[in-house]
Amino acid sequence: SACQGESGLIGLMFGARSLPLMGALPEDDAGEYLSGLIIGAEIGEGRRLYPGQRGQEPHVAGAAALVERYLKAFEALGHPARAAPARAAARGLFRIARDGGLL
């Protein structure tokens, strides 16, 4: 985002501490705000690093609540994304370990 480019993710995260103090954000919402900053930064960095992948639908793996946040972020950007099958990350790590001779 333009905001991230001006002050960077770390600056935005540290600045988030002052938002409740200034009345700009309810204190109970600070964690959600930080989560949104991190998700937005990750999606933005992925789009920057893999510009040729923009037409492809990303699959998001992880805990259901976190996957839902990512899907909402992609939707807000107008980019389709979908949840990966359940336990996709664990199955992928198992295959990597098996194929690498670690198991």
Side-chain angles (χ1 to χ4, degrees):
S1 74
C3 223
Q4 181 186 346
E6 293 169 10
S7 61
L9 178 60
I10 298 299
L12 290 170
M13 291 174 69
F14 278 106
R17 295 186 300 174
S18 66
L19 294 176
L21 298 174
M22 298 183 324
L25 181 71
E27 192 170 325
D28 291 345
D29 292 345
E32 296 291 323
Y33 179 79
L34 289 170
S35 178
L37 287 177
I38 293 168
I39 289 169
E42 184 176 3
I43 291 173
E45 185 71 0
R47 292 177 66 197
R48 185 185 71 76
L49 291 173
Y50 305 103
Q53 306 298 315
R54 288 197 181 167
Q56 296 182 5
E57 186 177 65
H59 292 78
V60 182
L66 190 55
V67 167
E68 188 60 33
R69 289 179 182 190
Y70 275 87
L71 294 178
K72 285 180 182 179
F74 277 108
E75 182 180 325
L77 292 168
H79 297 287
R82 74 168 85 168
R87 301 190 39 80
R91 289 195 307 264
L93 290 172
F94 176 80
R95 289 187 69 182
I96 290 169
R98 185 191 64 207
D99 294 350
L102 300 172
L103 298 175

Coordinates of all heavy atoms in Angstrom, one line a residue:
S1 N 0.8 -1.2 0.0 CA 0.0 0.0 0.0 C 0.9 1.2 0.0 O 2.0 1.2 0.4 CB -0.9 0.0 1.2 OG -0.2 0.3 2.4
A2 N 0.3 2.4 -0.3 CA 1.0 3.6 -0.3 C 1.5 3.9 1.1 O 2.6 4.4 1.3 CB 0.2 4.7 -0.9
C3 N 0.7 3.7 2.0 CA 1.0 4.0 3.4 C 2.3 3.2 3.8 O 3.2 3.7 4.5 CB -0.1 3.6 4.3 SG -0.5 4.8 5.6
Q4 N 2.3 1.9 3.5 CA 3.4 1.1 3.8 C 4.7 1.6 3.2 O 5.7 1.6 3.8 CB 3.2 -0.4 3.4 CG 4.3 -1.3 3.8 CD 4.2 -2.7 3.3 OE1 3.1 -3.1 2.8 NE2 5.2 -3.4 3.3
G5 N 4.6 2.0 1.9 CA 5.8 2.5 1.2 C 6.4 3.8 1.9 O 7.6 4.0 1.8
E6 N 5.5 4.6 2.5 CA 6.0 5.8 3.1 C 6.7 5.5 4.4 O 7.7 6.2 4.7 CB 4.8 6.7 3.4 CG 4.2 7.2 2.1 CD 2.9 8.0 2.3 OE1 2.5 8.2 3.4 OE2 2.2 8.2 1.3
S7 N 6.2 4.7 5.3 CA 6.8 4.5 6.6 C 7.3 3.0 6.8 O 7.9 2.8 7.8 CB 5.9 4.9 7.7 OG 4.7 4.1 7.7
G8 N 7.0 2.1 6.0 CA 7.4 0.7 6.1 C 6.6 0.0 7.2 O 5.9 0.6 8.0
L9 N 6.6 -1.3 7.1 CA 5.7 -2.1 8.0 C 6.1 -1.9 9.4 O 5.3 -1.7 10.3 CB 5.8 -3.6 7.6 CG 5.1 -4.5 8.5 CD1 3.6 -4.2 8.4 CD2 5.3 -6.0 8.0
I10 N 7.4 -1.9 9.7 CA 7.8 -1.7 11.1 C 7.3 -0.4 11.7 O 6.8 -0.3 12.8 CB 9.4 -1.9 11.3 CG1 9.8 -3.3 10.8 CG2 9.8 -1.6 12.7 CD1 9.2 -4.4 11.6
G11 N 7.5 0.7 10.9 CA 7.0 2.0 11.3 C 5.5 2.0 11.6 O 5.0 2.6 12.5
L12 N 4.7 1.3 10.7 CA 3.3 1.3 10.9 C 2.9 0.5 12.1 O 2.0 0.8 12.9 CB 2.6 0.6 9.7 CG 2.6 1.5 8.4 CD1 2.2 0.6 7.2 CD2 1.8 2.7 8.6
M13 N 3.7 -0.6 12.4 CA 3.4 -1.4 13.6 C 3.7 -0.7 14.8 O 2.9 -0.7 15.8 CB 4.2 -2.7 13.5 CG 3.7 -3.7 12.4 SD 4.8 -5.1 12.2 CE 4.4 -6.0 13.7
F14 N 4.8 0.0 14.9 CA 5.1 0.8 16.1 C 4.2 2.0 16.2 O 3.8 2.3 17.3 CB 6.6 1.3 16.1 CG 7.5 0.2 16.5 CD1 8.4 -0.4 15.6 CD2 7.6 -0.1 17.9 CE1 9.2 -1.4 16.1 CE2 8.5 -1.1 18.3 CZ 9.3 -1.7 17.4
G15 N 3.8 2.6 15.1 CA 2.8 3.6 15.2 C 1.4 3.2 15.7 O 0.7 4.0 16.2
A16 N 1.1 1.9 15.5 CA -0.2 1.4 15.9 C -0.3 1.5 17.4 O -1.4 1.6 18.0 CB -0.3 -0.1 15.5
R17 N 0.8 1.5 18.2 CA 0.7 1.6 19.6 C 0.1 2.9 20.0 O -0.5 3.0 21.1 CB 2.1 1.5 20.3 CG 2.7 0.1 20.1 CD 4.0 0.0 20.8 NE 5.0 1.0 20.3 CZ 6.2 1.2 20.9 NH1 6.6 0.5 21.9 NH2 7.0 2.1 20.4
S18 N 0.3 4.0 19.3 CA -0.2 5.3 19.6 C -1.6 5.5 19.2 O -2.3 6.4 19.8 CB 0.7 6.4 19.0 OG 0.6 6.3 17.6
L19 N -2.2 4.7 18.3 CA -3.5 4.9 17.9 C -4.6 4.9 19.0 O -5.4 5.8 19.1 CB -3.9 3.9 16.7 CG -3.1 4.1 15.4 CD1 -3.4 3.0 14.4 CD2 -3.3 5.5 14.8
P20 N -4.5 3.9 19.9 CA -5.5 3.9 21.0 C -5.3 5.1 21.9 O -6.3 5.6 22.4 CB -5.3 2.6 21.7 CG -4.6 1.7 20.7 CD -3.8 2.6 19.8
L21 N -4.1 5.5 22.1 CA -3.8 6.6 23.0 C -4.3 7.9 22.5 O -4.8 8.8 23.2 CB -2.3 6.8 23.2 CG -1.6 5.6 23.9 CD1 0.0 5.8 23.9 CD2 -2.1 5.4 25.3
M22 N -4.4 8.0 21.1 CA -4.9 9.2 20.5 C -6.4 9.1 20.2 O -7.0 10.1 19.7 CB -4.1 9.5 19.2 CG -2.7 9.7 19.4 SD -1.7 10.2 17.9 CE -2.4 9.2 16.6
G23 N -7.0 8.0 20.6 CA -8.4 7.8 20.3 C -8.8 7.5 18.9 O -9.9 7.5 18.5
A24 N -7.8 7.2 18.1 CA -8.0 6.9 16.7 C -8.4 5.4 16.5 O -8.8 5.1 15.4 CB -6.7 7.2 15.9
L25 N -8.2 4.6 17.5 CA -8.5 3.2 17.4 C -8.9 2.6 18.8 O -8.1 2.9 19.7 CB -7.3 2.4 16.8 CG -7.4 0.9 16.6 CD1 -8.3 0.6 15.4 CD2 -6.0 0.3 16.3
P26 N -10.0 1.9 18.9 CA -10.3 1.3 20.2 C -9.2 0.3 20.6 O -8.6 -0.4 19.8 CB -11.6 0.6 20.0 CG -12.2 1.2 18.8 CD -11.1 1.7 18.0
E27 N -8.8 0.4 21.9 CA -7.7 -0.5 22.3 C -7.9 -2.0 22.0 O -7.0 -2.7 21.7 CB -7.5 -0.3 23.8 CG -6.2 -0.9 24.3 CD -5.9 -0.6 25.8 OE1 -6.2 0.6 26.2 OE2 -5.3 -1.4 26.5
D28 N -9.2 -2.4 22.1 CA -9.5 -3.8 21.8 C -9.3 -4.2 20.4 O -9.2 -5.4 20.0 CB -10.9 -4.1 22.2 CG -11.1 -4.1 23.7 OD1 -10.2 -4.1 24.5 OD2 -12.3 -4.0 24.1
D29 N -9.2 -3.2 19.5 CA -9.0 -3.5 18.0 C -7.6 -3.4 17.6 O -7.3 -3.7 16.4 CB -9.8 -2.4 17.2 CG -11.3 -2.6 17.4 OD1 -11.8 -3.7 17.9 OD2 -12.1 -1.7 17.0
A30 N -6.7 -3.1 18.5 CA -5.2 -3.0 18.1 C -4.7 -4.3 17.5 O -3.9 -4.3 16.5 CB -4.4 -2.5 19.3
G31 N -5.0 -5.4 18.1 CA -4.5 -6.7 17.6 C -5.0 -7.0 16.2 O -4.3 -7.5 15.3
E32 N -6.3 -6.7 16.0 CA -6.9 -6.9 14.6 C -6.2 -6.0 13.6 O -5.9 -6.3 12.5 CB -8.4 -6.6 14.6 CG -9.2 -7.5 15.5 CD -9.2 -8.9 15.0 OE1 -9.3 -9.1 13.7 OE2 -9.2 -9.9 15.8
Y33 N -5.9 -4.7 14.0 CA -5.2 -3.8 13.2 C -3.9 -4.3 12.8 O -3.5 -4.3 11.6 CB -5.2 -2.4 13.9 CG -4.5 -1.3 13.1 CD1 -5.1 -0.7 12.1 CD2 -3.1 -1.0 13.3 CE1 -4.5 0.3 11.3 CE2 -2.5 0.0 12.6 CZ -3.2 0.6 11.6 OH -2.6 1.6 10.9
L34 N -3.1 -4.8 13.8 CA -1.8 -5.3 13.5 C -1.8 -6.5 12.6 O -1.0 -6.6 11.7 CB -1.0 -5.6 14.8 CG -0.6 -4.5 15.6 CD1 -0.2 -4.9 17.0 CD2 0.5 -3.7 15.0
S35 N -2.8 -7.4 12.8 CA -3.0 -8.5 11.9 C -3.2 -8.1 10.5 O -2.6 -8.6 9.5 CB -4.1 -9.4 12.4 OG -4.3 -10.5 11.6
G36 N -4.1 -7.1 10.3 CA -4.4 -6.6 9.0 C -3.1 -6.0 8.3 O -2.9 -6.1 7.1
L37 N -2.3 -5.3 9.1 CA -1.1 -4.7 8.5 C -0.1 -5.8 8.0 O 0.4 -5.7 6.9 CB -0.3 -3.9 9.6 CG -0.8 -2.6 10.0 CD1 0.0 -2.0 11.1 CD2 -0.9 -1.6 8.8
I38 N 0.0 -6.9 8.8 CA 0.9 -8.0 8.4 C 0.3 -8.7 7.2 O 1.1 -9.0 6.2 CB 1.1 -8.9 9.6 CG1 1.9 -8.2 10.7 CG2 1.8 -10.2 9.2 CD1 2.0 -8.9 12.0
I39 N -0.9 -9.0 7.2 CA -1.5 -9.7 6.0 C -1.4 -8.8 4.8 O -1.0 -9.3 3.7 CB -3.0 -10.0 6.3 CG1 -3.1 -11.1 7.4 CG2 -3.7 -10.4 5.0 CD1 -4.5 -11.4 7.9
G40 N -1.7 -7.5 4.9 CA -1.6 -6.6 3.8 C -0.2 -6.6 3.2 O 0.1 -6.6 2.0
A41 N 0.8 -6.5 4.2 CA 2.2 -6.4 3.7 C 2.6 -7.7 3.0 O 3.3 -7.7 2.0 CB 3.1 -6.2 5.0
E42 N 2.2 -8.8 3.6 CA 2.5 -10.1 2.9 C 2.0 -10.3 1.5 O 2.6 -10.7 0.6 CB 2.1 -11.3 3.8 CG 2.5 -12.6 3.3 CD 2.2 -13.8 4.2 OE1 1.5 -13.6 5.2 OE2 2.6 -14.9 3.8
I43 N 0.7 -9.9 1.4 CA 0.1 -10.0 0.1 C 0.8 -9.0 -0.9 O 1.1 -9.4 -2.0 CB -1.4 -9.7 0.2 CG1 -2.1 -10.9 0.9 CG2 -2.0 -9.5 -1.2 CD1 -3.6 -10.7 1.2
G44 N 1.0 -7.8 -0.4 CA 1.7 -6.8 -1.3 C 3.1 -7.3 -1.7 O 3.5 -7.1 -2.8
E45 N 3.8 -7.9 -0.8 CA 5.2 -8.3 -1.1 C 5.1 -9.5 -2.1 O 5.9 -9.6 -3.0 CB 5.9 -8.8 0.2 CG 7.3 -9.2 0.0 CD 8.3 -8.0 -0.4 OE1 7.8 -6.9 -0.4 OE2 9.5 -8.3 -0.6
G46 N 4.1 -10.4 -1.9 CA 3.9 -11.5 -2.8 C 3.6 -11.0 -4.2 O 4.2 -11.5 -5.2
R47 N 2.8 -10.0 -4.3 CA 2.5 -9.4 -5.6 C 3.7 -8.7 -6.3 O 3.9 -8.8 -7.5 CB 1.3 -8.4 -5.5 CG 0.0 -9.1 -5.1 CD -1.1 -8.2 -4.9 NE -1.4 -7.5 -6.2 CZ -2.1 -6.4 -6.3 NH1 -2.6 -5.8 -5.2 NH2 -2.4 -5.9 -7.4
R48 N 4.5 -8.1 -5.4 CA 5.7 -7.5 -5.9 C 6.8 -8.5 -6.4 O 7.4 -8.4 -7.5 CB 6.4 -6.6 -4.9 CG 7.6 -5.8 -5.4 CD 8.2 -5.0 -4.2 NE 8.9 -5.9 -3.3 CZ 10.1 -6.4 -3.5 NH1 10.7 -6.3 -4.7 NH2 10.7 -7.2 -2.6
L49 N 6.9 -9.6 -5.6 CA 7.9 -10.6 -6.0 C 7.5 -11.5 -7.1 O 8.4 -12.0 -7.8 CB 8.2 -11.4 -4.7 CG 9.0 -10.7 -3.6 CD1 9.1 -11.7 -2.4 CD2 10.4 -10.3 -4.1
Y50 N 6.2 -11.7 -7.3 CA 5.7 -12.6 -8.3 C 4.7 -12.0 -9.2 O 3.5 -12.4 -9.2 CB 5.1 -13.9 -7.6 CG 6.1 -14.6 -6.7 CD1 6.0 -14.4 -5.3 CD2 7.1 -15.3 -7.2 CE1 6.8 -15.0 -4.4 CE2 8.0 -16.0 -6.3 CZ 7.9 -15.8 -5.0 OH 8.8 -16.4 -4.1
P51 N 5.1 -10.9 -9.9 CA 4.2 -10.2 -10.7 C 3.5 -11.0 -11.8 O 2.4 -10.8 -12.2 CB 5.0 -9.0 -11.3 CG 6.4 -9.5 -11.3 CD 6.5 -10.4 -10.1
G52 N 4.2 -12.0 -12.3 CA 3.6 -12.9 -13.4 C 2.5 -13.8 -12.8 O 1.9 -14.4 -13.6
Q53 N 2.4 -13.9 -11.5 CA 1.4 -14.8 -10.9 C 0.1 -14.2 -10.7 O -0.8 -14.8 -10.1 CB 2.0 -15.4 -9.6 CG 3.3 -16.0 -9.7 CD 3.3 -17.2 -10.6 OE1 2.4 -18.1 -10.5 NE2 4.3 -17.3 -11.5
R54 N -0.1 -12.9 -11.1 CA -1.3 -12.2 -10.7 C -2.6 -12.8 -11.3 O -3.6 -12.7 -10.7 CB -1.2 -10.7 -11.2 CG -0.2 -10.0 -10.3 CD -0.4 -8.5 -10.4 NE 0.6 -7.9 -9.5 CZ 1.0 -6.7 -9.6 NH1 0.4 -5.9 -10.4 NH2 1.9 -6.2 -8.7
G55 N -2.5 -13.5 -12.4 CA -3.7 -14.1 -12.9 C -4.1 -15.4 -12.3 O -5.1 -15.9 -12.5
Q56 N -3.2 -15.9 -11.5 CA -3.4 -17.2 -10.8 C -4.1 -17.0 -9.5 O -3.8 -16.0 -8.7 CB -2.1 -18.0 -10.7 CG -1.5 -18.3 -12.0 CD -0.2 -19.1 -11.8 OE1 0.1 -19.5 -10.7 NE2 0.4 -19.4 -12.9
E57 N -5.0 -17.9 -9.1 CA -5.7 -17.8 -7.8 C -4.8 -18.5 -6.7 O -4.6 -19.6 -6.8 CB -7.0 -18.6 -8.0 CG -7.9 -18.4 -6.8 CD -9.2 -19.1 -7.0 OE1 -9.2 -20.4 -7.2 OE2 -10.2 -18.4 -7.1
P58 N -4.4 -17.7 -5.8 CA -3.6 -18.2 -4.7 C -4.5 -19.1 -3.8 O -5.7 -18.9 -3.6 CB -3.1 -17.0 -3.9 CG -3.9 -15.9 -4.3 CD -4.5 -16.2 -5.6
H59 N -3.8 -20.1 -3.2 CA -4.5 -21.0 -2.2 C -3.8 -20.6 -0.9 O -2.6 -20.6 -0.7 CB -4.2 -22.5 -2.5 CG -4.9 -22.9 -3.8 ND1 -4.4 -22.6 -5.0 CD2 -6.0 -23.6 -4.0 CE1 -5.2 -23.1 -5.9 NE2 -6.2 -23.7 -5.3
V60 N -4.7 -20.4 0.1 CA -4.3 -20.0 1.4 C -4.4 -21.1 2.4 O -5.5 -21.7 2.6 CB -5.1 -18.8 1.9 CG1 -4.6 -18.3 3.3 CG2 -5.0 -17.6 0.9
A61 N -3.3 -21.5 3.1 CA -3.3 -22.6 4.0 C -3.0 -22.1 5.4 O -2.3 -21.2 5.6 CB -2.2 -23.7 3.6
G62 N -3.7 -22.7 6.4 CA -3.4 -22.4 7.8 C -4.7 -22.6 8.6 O -5.6 -23.2 8.2
A63 N -4.7 -22.0 9.8 CA -5.8 -22.1 10.7 C -7.0 -21.4 10.1 O -6.8 -20.4 9.4 CB -5.5 -21.5 12.0
A64 N -8.2 -21.9 10.3 CA -9.4 -21.4 9.6 C -9.6 -19.9 9.8 O -9.9 -19.2 8.8 CB -10.6 -22.2 10.1
A65 N -9.4 -19.4 11.0 CA -9.7 -18.0 11.3 C -8.7 -17.1 10.5 O -9.0 -16.1 10.0 CB -9.6 -17.7 12.8
L66 N -7.4 -17.6 10.4 CA -6.4 -16.8 9.7 C -6.7 -16.9 8.2 O -6.5 -15.9 7.5 CB -5.0 -17.3 10.0 CG -3.9 -16.5 9.6 CD1 -4.0 -15.0 10.0 CD2 -2.5 -17.1 10.0
V67 N -7.0 -18.0 7.7 CA -7.3 -18.2 6.3 C -8.5 -17.3 5.9 O -8.4 -16.6 4.9 CB -7.7 -19.7 5.9 CG1 -8.3 -19.8 4.6 CG2 -6.4 -20.5 6.0
E68 N -9.5 -17.2 6.8 CA -10.6 -16.3 6.5 C -10.1 -14.8 6.4 O -10.6 -14.1 5.5 CB -11.7 -16.4 7.6 CG -12.9 -15.7 7.3 CD -13.6 -16.1 6.0 OE1 -13.5 -17.3 5.6 OE2 -14.2 -15.3 5.3
R69 N -9.2 -14.4 7.2 CA -8.7 -13.0 7.1 C -8.0 -12.8 5.8 O -8.1 -11.7 5.2 CB -7.7 -12.8 8.3 CG -8.4 -12.6 9.6 CD -7.4 -12.4 10.7 NE -8.1 -12.3 12.0 CZ -7.5 -12.0 13.1 NH1 -6.3 -11.6 13.1 NH2 -8.2 -11.9 14.2
Y70 N -7.2 -13.7 5.4 CA -6.5 -13.6 4.1 C -7.4 -13.6 2.9 O -7.3 -12.7 2.0 CB -5.5 -14.8 3.9 CG -4.1 -14.5 4.5 CD1 -3.9 -14.9 5.9 CD2 -3.1 -14.0 3.8 CE1 -2.7 -14.6 6.5 CE2 -1.9 -13.7 4.4 CZ -1.7 -14.1 5.7 OH -0.4 -13.8 6.3
L71 N -8.5 -14.4 3.0 CA -9.4 -14.4 1.9 C -10.2 -13.1 1.8 O -10.4 -12.6 0.7 CB -10.4 -15.6 2.1 CG -9.8 -17.0 1.9 CD1 -10.9 -18.0 2.2 CD2 -9.2 -17.2 0.6
K72 N -10.5 -12.5 3.0 CA -11.2 -11.2 3.0 C -10.2 -10.1 2.4 O -10.7 -9.2 1.7 CB -11.6 -10.8 4.4 CG -12.8 -11.6 4.8 CD -13.2 -11.2 6.2 CE -14.4 -12.0 6.7 NZ -14.8 -11.7 8.1
A73 N -8.9 -10.2 2.7 CA -8.0 -9.2 2.2 C -7.9 -9.4 0.7 O -7.9 -8.3 0.0 CB -6.6 -9.4 2.8
F74 N -7.8 -10.6 0.2 CA -7.7 -10.8 -1.3 C -9.0 -10.2 -1.9 O -9.0 -9.6 -3.0 CB -7.5 -12.2 -1.6 CG -6.1 -12.7 -1.6 CD1 -5.6 -13.5 -0.6 CD2 -5.2 -12.3 -2.6 CE1 -4.3 -13.9 -0.6 CE2 -3.9 -12.7 -2.6 CZ -3.4 -13.5 -1.6
E75 N -10.1 -10.5 -1.3 CA -11.4 -10.0 -1.8 C -11.5 -8.5 -1.9 O -11.9 -7.9 -2.9 CB -12.6 -10.6 -1.0 CG -13.9 -10.2 -1.5 CD -15.0 -10.7 -0.6 OE1 -14.9 -11.8 0.0 OE2 -16.0 -10.0 -0.4
A76 N -11.0 -7.9 -0.8 CA -10.9 -6.4 -0.8 C -10.1 -5.8 -1.9 O -10.3 -4.7 -2.4 CB -10.4 -5.9 0.6
L77 N -9.1 -6.6 -2.3 CA -8.2 -6.1 -3.4 C -8.7 -6.5 -4.8 O -8.2 -6.1 -5.8 CB -6.8 -6.8 -3.2 CG -6.0 -6.3 -2.0 CD1 -4.8 -7.2 -1.8 CD2 -5.6 -4.9 -2.2
G78 N -9.8 -7.2 -4.8 CA -10.4 -7.7 -6.1 C -9.7 -8.8 -6.7 O -9.8 -9.0 -7.9
H79 N -9.0 -9.6 -5.9 CA -8.2 -10.7 -6.4 C -8.8 -12.0 -5.8 O -8.9 -12.2 -4.6 CB -6.8 -10.7 -6.0 CG -6.1 -9.5 -6.6 ND1 -5.7 -9.4 -8.0 CD2 -5.6 -8.3 -6.1 CE1 -5.1 -8.3 -8.2 NE2 -5.1 -7.6 -7.1
P80 N -9.3 -12.9 -6.7 CA -9.8 -14.2 -6.1 C -8.7 -15.0 -5.5 O -7.6 -15.0 -5.9 CB -10.4 -14.9 -7.4 CG -9.6 -14.3 -8.5 CD -9.3 -12.9 -8.1
A81 N -9.1 -15.7 -4.4 CA -8.2 -16.6 -3.7 C -9.1 -17.7 -3.1 O -10.3 -17.5 -3.0 CB -7.4 -15.9 -2.6
R82 N -8.5 -18.8 -2.7 CA -9.3 -19.8 -2.1 C -8.6 -20.5 -1.0 O -7.3 -20.5 -1.0 CB -9.8 -20.9 -3.2 CG -8.7 -21.8 -3.6 CD -9.2 -23.0 -4.4 NE -9.4 -22.6 -5.8 CZ -9.6 -23.4 -6.7 NH1 -9.7 -24.7 -6.5 NH2 -9.7 -23.0 -8.0
A83 N -9.3 -21.1 -0.1 CA -8.7 -21.9 1.0 C -8.1 -23.2 0.5 O -8.8 -23.8 -0.4 CB -9.8 -22.1 2.1
A84 N -7.0 -23.5 0.9 CA -6.4 -24.8 0.5 C -7.1 -25.9 1.3 O -7.8 -25.6 2.3 CB -4.9 -24.8 0.9
P85 N -7.0 -27.1 0.8 CA -7.6 -28.2 1.5 C -7.1 -28.3 3.0 O -6.0 -27.9 3.3 CB -7.2 -29.5 0.8 CG -6.8 -29.0 -0.6 CD -6.3 -27.6 -0.4
A86 N -7.9 -28.8 3.9 CA -7.6 -28.9 5.3 C -6.3 -29.7 5.4 O -6.0 -30.6 4.7 CB -8.7 -29.7 6.0
R87 N -5.4 -29.2 6.3 CA -4.1 -29.8 6.7 C -3.2 -29.8 5.5 O -2.2 -30.6 5.4 CB -4.3 -31.2 7.2 CG -5.2 -31.2 8.5 CD -5.3 -32.5 9.3 NE -4.1 -33.2 9.4 CZ -3.1 -33.0 10.3 NH1 -3.1 -32.0 11.1 NH2 -2.0 -33.8 10.3
A88 N -3.4 -29.0 4.5 CA -2.5 -28.9 3.3 C -1.0 -28.6 3.8 O -0.1 -29.2 3.2 CB -3.0 -27.9 2.3
A89 N -0.9 -27.7 4.7 CA 0.5 -27.3 5.1 C 1.2 -28.5 5.8 O 2.3 -28.8 5.5 CB 0.5 -26.1 6.0
A90 N 0.5 -29.2 6.6 CA 1.1 -30.4 7.3 C 1.4 -31.5 6.3 O 2.5 -32.1 6.4 CB 0.1 -30.9 8.4
R91 N 0.5 -31.7 5.4 CA 0.8 -32.8 4.4 C 2.0 -32.4 3.5 O 2.8 -33.2 3.1 CB -0.5 -33.0 3.5 CG -1.6 -33.7 4.3 CD -2.6 -34.3 3.4 NE -3.2 -33.3 2.5 CZ -4.3 -32.7 2.7 NH1 -5.0 -32.9 3.8 NH2 -4.8 -31.8 1.8
G92 N 2.1 -31.1 3.1 CA 3.2 -30.7 2.3 C 4.5 -30.8 3.1 O 5.5 -31.3 2.5
L93 N 4.5 -30.4 4.3 CA 5.8 -30.6 5.1 C 6.2 -32.0 5.3 O 7.4 -32.4 5.2 CB 5.6 -29.9 6.5 CG 5.5 -28.4 6.5 CD1 5.2 -27.9 7.9 CD2 6.8 -27.8 6.0
F94 N 5.2 -32.9 5.4 CA 5.5 -34.4 5.5 C 6.1 -34.8 4.2 O 7.1 -35.6 4.2 CB 4.2 -35.1 5.8 CG 4.4 -36.6 5.8 CD1 4.9 -37.2 6.9 CD2 4.0 -37.4 4.7 CE1 5.1 -38.6 6.9 CE2 4.2 -38.8 4.7 CZ 4.8 -39.4 5.8
R95 N 5.6 -34.4 3.1 CA 6.1 -34.9 1.8 C 7.5 -34.4 1.6 O 8.4 -35.1 1.1 CB 5.2 -34.4 0.6 CG 3.9 -35.2 0.6 CD 3.1 -34.9 -0.6 NE 3.8 -35.4 -1.8 CZ 3.4 -35.3 -3.0 NH1 2.3 -34.6 -3.2 NH2 4.0 -35.8 -4.0
I96 N 7.8 -33.1 2.0 CA 9.1 -32.6 1.9 C 10.1 -33.4 2.7 O 11.2 -33.8 2.3 CB 9.2 -31.1 2.3 CG1 8.4 -30.3 1.2 CG2 10.6 -30.6 2.5 CD1 8.2 -28.8 1.7
A97 N 9.7 -33.7 4.0 CA 10.5 -34.5 4.9 C 10.8 -35.9 4.3 O 11.9 -36.4 4.3 CB 9.9 -34.5 6.3
R98 N 9.7 -36.5 3.8 CA 9.8 -37.9 3.2 C 10.7 -37.9 2.0 O 11.6 -38.7 1.9 CB 8.4 -38.4 2.9 CG 8.5 -39.9 2.5 CD 7.2 -40.3 1.9 NE 6.9 -39.5 0.7 CZ 5.7 -39.3 0.2 NH1 4.7 -39.7 0.8 NH2 5.6 -38.6 -0.9
D99 N 10.5 -36.9 1.1 CA 11.3 -36.9 -0.1 C 12.7 -36.5 0.1 O 13.6 -36.8 -0.7 CB 10.6 -35.9 -1.1 CG 9.3 -36.4 -1.6 OD1 8.9 -37.5 -1.4 OD2 8.6 -35.5 -2.3
G100 N 12.9 -35.8 1.2 CA 14.3 -35.4 1.6 C 15.0 -36.4 2.4 O 16.2 -36.2 2.8
G101 N 14.4 -37.6 2.6 CA 15.0 -38.7 3.4 C 15.1 -38.4 4.9 O 15.9 -39.1 5.6
L102 N 14.3 -37.5 5.4 CA 14.3 -37.2 6.8 C 13.4 -38.2 7.6 O 13.5 -38.3 8.8 CB 13.9 -35.8 7.1 CG 14.8 -34.7 6.4 CD1 14.2 -33.3 6.6 CD2 16.2 -34.8 7.0
L103 N 12.6 -38.9 6.9 CA 11.7 -39.9 7.6 C 12.0 -41.3 7.1 O 12.4 -41.6 6.0 CB 10.2 -39.6 7.3 CG 9.7 -38.2 7.7 CD1 8.3 -38.0 7.3 CD2 9.8 -38.1 9.3

